[in-house]
Amino acid sequence: LPEPVLKKAAEQMLDYNGTGMCVMEMSHRSPEYEEIIKSAESSLRKLMNIPARYKVLFLQGGASSQFAMVPMNLIGKTGTADYIHTGTWSSKALSEAKKYGTVSVVASSEDKNFTYIPEADLGIFTKDASYVHITTNNTIEGTVYTKLPQTGEIPLVADMSSDILSREYDVTKFGIIYAGAQKNIGPAGLTVVIVREDLMGRQLPQTPAMFTYAIHAEHGSLYNTPPTYSVYIAKLVFEWLLDFGGVRAIEETNRKKAAMLYDFLDESRLFKAPVVKKDRSIMNIPFTLETDEQNKKFLKEVEKRGMVNLKGHRSVGGMRASIYNAMPVEGVKTLVNHMKQFEMENK
Amino acid sequence: LPEPVLKKAAEQMLDYNGTGMCVMEMSHRSPEYEEIIKSAESSLRKLMNIPARYKVLFLQGGASSQFAMVPMNLIGKTGTADYIHTGTWSSKALSEAKKYGTVSVVASSEDKNFTYIPEADLGIFTKDASYVHITTNNTIEGTVYTKLPQTGEIPLVADMSSDILSREYDVTKFGIIYAGAQKNIGPAGLTVVIVREDLMGRQLPQTPAMFTYAIHAEHGSLYNTPPTYSVYIAKLVFEWLLDFGGVRAIEETNRKKAAMLYDFLDESRLFKAPVVKKDRSIMNIPFTLETDEQNKKFLKEVEKRGMVNLKGHRSVGGMRASIYNAMPVEGVKTLVNHMKQFEMENK
């Protein structure tokens, strides 16, 4: 999280804007709280240029809940849906969808351990698919779609958990965008869902009320008590990002940060980047040394220097730098310097 | 929320225990965060004297999610469940359950606008009911069970959202206890579920992974990213309550606070308490004046004095004092004094 956001949150902990209350203590039906949630929505709409025909929902349960919520709300139309399989998270999404209808994996990069994004032309999609599901940025594998699949009339549904607000996306290309907030927005326990109005109201009969987009939309995300404090922190992050210059400005910074790492990786004789160049994520950058022993040694050394969370996922191994919006350029510089030093010392 | 909790949260916003990080920034797989969630669980187990054969889950989605999650996980055994209907929240719970099986309303206090708790002897329950559902404290109507229904071998499931940790309960009398955290625990966006181990694994085939108790239990509430900051605030509240002397001590204080209000209401010629004496909640105390005009006048006057959230729910009308654990005795005294003054001025 950006430091100015945390400072403001600390300042307002015992008194939000002269109310004498912490946001956590406010009724979600109070005018003060309604102002917070409306302002959060309006800032997000501005940041992502979200058209009025899309609803913005602030929900709970993370992307893992959306893995079921998407099919429960959409697959009923035809009973079938298409998934593009690009890693751990798309795997979870499609397993969950199978409970509710026929799921076709129309493209996959499993053959090369998910180190690329497969081609997806209009021709590959099932004719009566209710939707096509993609994971725009693959957190664990470090890949990203640089070109969106052309799905024609079939709504494109995207899990954008790890790259929402990190780069510009044209919202009108999607039927639904969803994202767990804990990467680029901040607080865990909040899920942002952007859903095209005409896709609501198609839920299966056994869909829980809390898993029904139409119900949350009808109540402006206040069907039940929302995660009030997380929405407030998200609002602060959105405002910080607007001050920063918006998504275009942060994307530029993110590309610079990522380039620093990739440039070094491509020159290094010791470190390797497994992902093909054209599909490289600017958020999650996996890299490896030649042996597991070297990986362990490197991780141990950087941890001593206070750099945590650099271990790669067990399915990929090695290291992974997650350089979300809030990571300052300095942080990436420091990491690259450590890598250079390690290379020097371990030639 | 108790003020010491907010102060500690503000202090630790930029640096939790020397980690240099806010809890919101921690990975939920980090040792620091695991210590937080384990410590929260252990404090709650101590406070409620929870036996080892019950799992404690920290989930998302509030009681509204539990309304579906309970039947999706339990009703499959026989296809049928019994509900006791005592107000707005039990109504929502039983409507949701009807999606998943046959629901019998075996007792109800609807005949008298939910101003009492109906008798519930073993004889009234459906022989093959998978469970019996109650709402221990009815937030809107201001009633509470002073004697639990005797359900024999049928598991008793309780929505304890508005009185968990306010009074002593014998956990072993229940199959499942669930509670949205926003009343007595603190942060919205966290749901506490206490579930007897033998009741897990019975979920219906279409149950989302995120709605499956067994999955959350297997992963120690870390199946996906939990609402990390809310769990941390809950931990602080649990510690505050342990310091206070535990549930027995807070119950004593809560009974004193409630008695101050009820004593005045029973003596007043202007104010009335609609709930029958034996079933009165010590958390939520509805009261009315003789006319709607008087109610409005009273609400306007107390609001001027900074007392907010006193308006009764539209289904009950009048006023409602919600005096959760964190409400100090002084707060109740101030309210009673205002009521006395209003009575003097409006004889």
Side-chain angles (χ1 to χ4, degrees):
Chain A
L1 280 165
E3 197 170 300
V5 166
L6 292 176
K7 279 193 175 150
K8 189 147 200 186
E11 266 170 44
Q12 299 187 326
M13 185 64 84
L14 280 99
D15 182 9
Y16 174 79
N17 277 3
T19 56
M21 270 190 285
C22 173
V23 174
M24 276 186 264
E25 302 178 289
M26 286 179 187
S27 161
H28 64 288
R29 309 269 178 218
S30 67
E32 291 83 7
Y33 186 71
E34 281 198 35
E35 195 275 331
I36 290 173
I37 195 166
K38 280 197 176 132
S39 155
E41 176 176 339
S42 134
S43 294
L44 182 62
R45 283 189 179 274
K46 206 184 273 180
L47 284 166
M48 293 186 72
N49 196 19
I50 303 171
R53 68 177 189 282
Y54 285 78
K55 292 282 185 190
V56 172
L57 308 178
F58 294 116
L59 306 181
Q60 298 181 56
S64 296
S65 289
Q66 294 306 309
F67 297 163
M69 203 160 163
V70 164
M72 288 182 118
N73 282 267
L74 294 192
I75 209 168
K77 199 188 173 198
T78 64
T80 176
D82 285 353
Y83 278 68
I84 300 184
H85 184 23
T86 51
T88 308
W89 294 110
S90 73
S91 160
K92 291 202 178 194
L94 71 90
S95 307
E96 196 72 356
K98 283 179 185 165
K99 292 180 186 164
Y100 310 104
T102 306
V103 169
S104 308
V105 176
V106 290
S108 166
S109 53
E110 198 170 6
D111 59 340
K112 291 182 181 163
N113 205 23
F114 305 114
T115 51
Y116 69 103
I117 296 291
E119 288 295 315
D121 301 321
L122 190 50
I124 69 168
F125 299 112
T126 308
K127 225 184 67 189
D128 67 341
S130 303
Y131 62 92
V132 174
H133 183 280
I134 62 168
T135 313
T136 50
N137 183 82
N138 294 278
T139 324
I140 290 170
E141 297 79 7
T143 57
V144 71
Y145 284 79
T146 47
K147 196 181 78 181
L148 290 175
Q150 300 299 308
T151 59
E153 291 297 299
I154 313 173
L156 182 62
V157 174
D159 177 358
M160 229 177 244
S161 294
S162 54
D163 71 341
I164 192 168
L165 295 176
S166 75
R167 48 182 294 211
E168 289 190 301
Y169 275 112
D170 178 354
V171 172
T172 66
K173 302 288 184 219
F174 299 89
I176 294 179
I177 291 168
Y178 65 85
Q182 65 270 18
K183 312 284 187 199
N184 272 327
I185 301 174
L190 172 67
T191 317
V192 171
V193 181
I194 301 162
V195 52
R196 220 174 64 204
E197 274 176 346
D198 63 299
L199 296 176
M200 290 189 289
R202 301 176 179 182
Q203 64 277 2
L204 299 170
Q206 289 207 331
T207 307
M210 283 291 290
F211 266 37
T212 306
Y213 293 129
I215 288 178
H216 289 293
E218 190 193 329
H219 292 84
S221 300
L222 296 170
Y223 171 68
N224 74 329
T225 312
T228 47
Y229 197 72
S230 300
V231 171
Y232 156 73
I233 296 289
K235 169 185 174 280
L236 296 182
V237 173
F238 297 154
E239 287 164 0
W240 168 81
L241 191 48
L242 284 167
D243 283 347
F244 191 91
V247 178
R248 180 165 302 183
I250 199 92
E251 176 172 352
E252 206 176 298
T253 304
N254 286 335
R255 291 199 181 280
K256 271 185 206 153
K257 288 189 294 184
M260 285 167 59
L261 247 169
Y262 284 123
D263 287 349
F264 170 72
L265 286 167
D266 288 338
E267 280 168 25
S268 168
R269 277 169 306 160
L270 221 55
F271 289 94
K272 308 246 167 295
V275 173
V276 302
K277 282 194 183 176
K278 70 173 184 59
D279 299 329
R280 283 175 172 177
S281 167
I282 57 169
M283 291 282 101
N284 309 99
I285 306 184
F287 56 93
T288 54
L289 286 155
E290 271 156 29
T291 65
D292 263 359
E293 227 161 50
Q294 281 182 314
N295 291 338
K296 267 183 206 154
K297 191 178 170 195
F298 176 76
L299 281 167
K300 216 169 158 180
E301 287 186 13
V302 288
E303 197 166 314
K304 263 190 219 148
R305 284 149 177 172
M307 307 198 80
V308 294
N309 296 335
L310 270 168
K311 203 177 170 201
H313 190 268
R314 62 183 179 280
S315 63
V316 176
M319 282 69 67
R320 179 182 41 160
S322 287
I323 48 177
Y324 297 117
N325 284 357
M327 164 72 74
V329 179
E330 278 310 311
V332 183
K333 264 189 199 157
T334 308
L335 173 62
V336 173
N337 285 339
H338 285 319
M339 291 164 77
K340 281 183 183 159
Q341 199 185 327
F342 186 90
E343 176 147 338
M344 294 237 296
E345 291 167 3
N346 293 272
K347 273 200 270 218
Chain B
L1 280 165
E3 197 170 300
V5 166
L6 292 175
K7 280 193 174 150
K8 189 147 200 185
E11 266 169 43
Q12 299 188 325
M13 184 65 84
L14 280 99
D15 182 10
Y16 174 78
N17 278 2
T19 56
M21 270 191 285
C22 173
V23 174
M24 276 185 265
E25 302 179 289
M26 286 178 188
S27 160
H28 65 289
R29 309 268 179 218
S30 67
E32 291 82 7
Y33 186 71
E34 281 198 34
E35 195 276 330
I36 290 174
I37 196 166
K38 281 199 177 129
S39 154
E41 175 176 339
S42 133
S43 294
L44 183 62
R45 284 190 179 273
K46 206 185 271 180
L47 283 167
M48 292 185 73
N49 196 19
I50 303 171
R53 70 177 186 282
Y54 286 78
K55 292 282 185 190
V56 172
L57 308 177
F58 294 116
L59 307 181
Q60 298 181 56
S64 296
S65 290
Q66 294 306 309
F67 296 163
M69 204 160 162
V70 164
M72 287 182 117
N73 282 269
L74 294 191
I75 210 168
K77 199 190 172 194
T78 64
T80 177
D82 285 353
Y83 278 67
I84 299 183
H85 184 23
T86 51
T88 308
W89 294 109
S90 73
S91 159
K92 293 203 176 192
L94 71 91
S95 307
E96 197 71 356
K98 282 178 186 166
K99 292 180 186 163
Y100 311 102
T102 306
V103 168
S104 308
V105 176
V106 290
S108 165
S109 52
E110 199 170 7
D111 59 339
K112 290 180 180 161
N113 205 24
F114 305 113
T115 51
Y116 69 103
I117 297 291
E119 288 296 314
D121 300 321
L122 191 49
I124 68 166
F125 299 111
T126 309
K127 226 184 66 187
D128 67 341
S130 302
Y131 62 92
V132 173
H133 183 280
I134 62 168
T135 313
T136 49
N137 182 83
N138 294 278
T139 324
I140 290 170
E141 297 79 7
T143 56
V144 70
Y145 284 79
T146 47
K147 196 180 78 183
L148 290 175
Q150 301 298 310
T151 59
E153 291 298 298
I154 313 172
L156 182 62
V157 174
D159 176 357
M160 228 177 244
S161 295
S162 53
D163 71 340
I164 193 168
L165 296 176
S166 75
R167 47 183 293 212
E168 290 191 298
Y169 274 111
D170 178 354
V171 172
T172 66
K173 302 290 184 218
F174 298 89
I176 293 178
I177 291 169
Y178 65 85
Q182 65 270 21
K183 313 286 187 197
N184 272 326
I185 300 173
L190 172 67
T191 316
V192 171
V193 180
I194 302 162
V195 51
R196 221 174 63 206
E197 275 175 346
D198 63 297
L199 297 176
M200 290 190 290
R202 301 178 180 181
Q203 64 276 4
L204 298 170
Q206 290 207 330
T207 307
M210 283 291 290
F211 265 38
T212 306
Y213 293 129
I215 289 179
H216 289 293
E218 190 192 330
H219 293 85
S221 299
L222 296 170
Y223 171 69
N224 74 331
T225 312
T228 48
Y229 197 73
S230 300
V231 171
Y232 156 72
I233 296 289
K235 169 184 173 281
L236 296 182
V237 172
F238 297 154
E239 286 164 1
W240 168 80
L241 190 49
L242 283 167
D243 283 349
F244 190 91
V247 178
R248 180 165 300 180
I250 200 92
E251 175 171 353
E252 206 176 297
T253 305
N254 287 335
R255 290 199 181 279
K256 271 185 205 152
K257 288 190 293 186
M260 284 168 59
L261 247 170
Y262 284 124
D263 287 350
F264 170 73
L265 286 167
D266 289 339
E267 278 168 23
S268 167
R269 275 168 307 158
L270 222 53
F271 289 95
K272 307 246 166 298
V275 174
V276 302
K277 282 193 182 177
K278 73 176 182 57
D279 298 329
R280 284 174 170 177
S281 166
I282 57 170
M283 290 283 101
N284 310 98
I285 305 184
F287 55 93
T288 55
L289 286 155
E290 269 155 31
T291 64
D292 263 0
E293 226 161 52
Q294 281 182 313
N295 291 337
K296 268 184 206 154
K297 189 177 170 195
F298 176 76
L299 281 167
K300 215 169 159 181
E301 288 187 13
V302 288
E303 197 165 314
K304 262 190 223 153
R305 285 151 177 168
M307 309 198 80
V308 293
N309 295 335
L310 269 168
K311 203 177 171 201
H313 190 269
R314 61 183 181 280
S315 63
V316 175
M319 281 69 67
R320 178 181 43 160
S322 287
I323 48 177
Y324 296 117
N325 283 356
M327 163 71 76
V329 178
E330 278 312 310
V332 183
K333 263 190 200 155
T334 308
L335 173 61
V336 173
N337 285 339
H338 285 319
M339 291 165 77
K340 280 184 182 158
Q341 200 184 329
F342 186 89
E343 174 145 341
M344 293 239 297
E345 291 166 4
N346 293 273
K347 272 200 272 220

